Amino acid sequence: MIISFYGTDLILKNIVRNWVSLLAVNTYNSMGCFTLELQNAPHNAELIKLWNYCTIDNDNDNVYVITSANIANGKIVLTGFPATYIFSKRASTTVISNKKAEVAMKSLVDNMTPWDNVITEEIKGLTDTFKNQMSDKQILEYLQGIGQATDVGFRLVKEGQKLVFKTYKPTLNNSVKYSTSLKNVANLDYFISENDYYNYAIVAGAEHGEKRITVTTSIGDTSGVDRRELYIDAR
């Protein structure tokens, strides 16, 4: 596995073959993330240049942009996002309403203040229509709002020395099945925590010392690792 780094001109600058850790997350109509941890060595210090791009294993469909760098504890940590993050640095007052999603997305990118070496592909004819209304936002907010409302993806693909803005429909995987009987259907957002959970309370009342009345109360299994004690000063 290699990581290739490119300047804003999309010309190859460096290739990295060794690192401490790597995290790259892509989504099709929201924002992913990118984190690369390297040893703090002179040859790696050359990579600390914000707004450079990189790809993993020459995967030009997934391009990342570096937006921050940190040097500490003998490590260099570069963080960023998929290259579509650059659209968060462009804004528009255009009103989008009842328009084909693909056409609306392309027009937003075409009409924004140009970003070096970013172009759009030709219209492919996606039929999904954005029926809501949206205006006065960052370009990225427009793209995400339209994409999520119509299930249309967008990305920047490296083609030579250009980043080409493309829209697409996510691939349908017919082998994937969802059903309550398979126990793989749940709410879109899932969160579980026991940070504030207790099942055994020690309640101390009025007075002091030996005169103080203390009682306990519990619910459920309160043995071993299942016990969560809480001290309560009832005064």
Side-chain angles (χ1 to χ4, degrees):
M1 182 180 288
I2 64 171
I3 304 176
S4 302
F5 284 81
Y6 305 86
T8 54
D9 54 7
L10 278 301
I11 294 176
L12 182 65
K13 304 296 184 184
N14 300 90
I15 293 178
V16 172
R17 291 183 171 86
N18 298 287
W19 54 85
V20 178
S21 65
L22 169 65
L23 172 67
V25 178
N26 293 285
T27 59
Y28 71 96
N29 55 27
S30 58
M31 188 49 55
C33 63
F34 175 85
T35 302
L36 175 64
E37 184 180 7
L38 303 157
Q39 295 291 348
N40 186 3
H43 62 280
N44 286 333
E46 298 174 2
L47 303 172
I48 304 175
K49 189 169 178 60
L50 303 188
W51 300 104
N52 273 359
Y53 303 103
C54 66
T55 60
I56 301 172
D57 280 350
N58 297 317
D59 177 11
N60 292 332
D61 284 348
N62 292 295
V63 184
Y64 307 93
V65 61
I66 306 302
T67 59
S68 62
N70 182 52
I71 302 176
N73 302 317
K75 301 292 192 301
I76 296 173
V77 179
L78 304 177
T79 58
F81 303 92
T84 48
Y85 178 77
I86 66 174
F87 297 125
S88 70
K89 304 304 178 183
R90 292 290 186 268
S92 174
T93 58
T94 300
V95 178
I96 301 294
S97 178
N98 198 32
K99 194 170 185 179
K100 290 285 181 16
E102 178 187 24
V103 174
M105 290 173 156
K106 183 179 185 300
S107 66
L108 286 163
V109 176
D110 281 336
N111 295 319
M112 72 181 193
T113 304
W115 189 283
D116 293 354
N117 301 305
V118 170
I119 61 175
T120 60
E121 70 171 350
E122 295 297 319
I123 293 293
K124 293 185 295 186
L126 299 183
T127 59
D128 304 81
T129 299
F130 179 71
K131 297 180 180 179
N132 302 325
Q133 182 168 305
M134 185 182 298
S135 65
D136 304 302
K137 297 183 180 298
Q138 302 300 116
I139 296 297
L140 182 60
E141 292 181 278
Y142 278 101
L143 298 176
Q144 290 178 337
I146 296 170
Q148 291 166 13
T150 58
D151 196 31
V152 171
F154 61 91
R155 60 190 171 198
L156 284 170
V157 176
K158 183 180 180 298
E159 295 185 0
Q161 290 176 233
K162 297 293 183 182
L163 288 178
V164 184
F165 177 76
K166 298 187 176 187
T167 56
Y168 64 98
K169 293 292 289 183
T171 302
L172 177 64
N173 187 341
N174 291 316
S175 66
V176 176
K177 299 183 183 300
Y178 295 94
S179 169
T180 52
S181 64
L182 296 176
K183 302 185 187 302
N184 60 5
V185 174
N187 294 330
L188 176 64
D189 295 321
Y190 177 78
F191 177 77
I192 185 170
S193 172
E194 284 197 352
N195 290 344
D196 298 317
Y197 172 73
Y198 301 92
N199 59 8
Y200 187 96
I202 302 168
V203 186
E207 303 296 340
H208 297 277
E210 295 180 355
K211 294 183 179 180
R212 191 167 193 187
I213 299 174
T214 300
V215 298
T216 63
T217 184
S218 63
I219 185 172
D221 185 1
T222 58
S223 62
V225 298
D226 293 319
R227 188 183 182 102
R228 308 288 188 270
E229 293 184 356
L230 176 67
Y231 177 83
I232 300 173
D233 187 339
R235 291 178 300 184

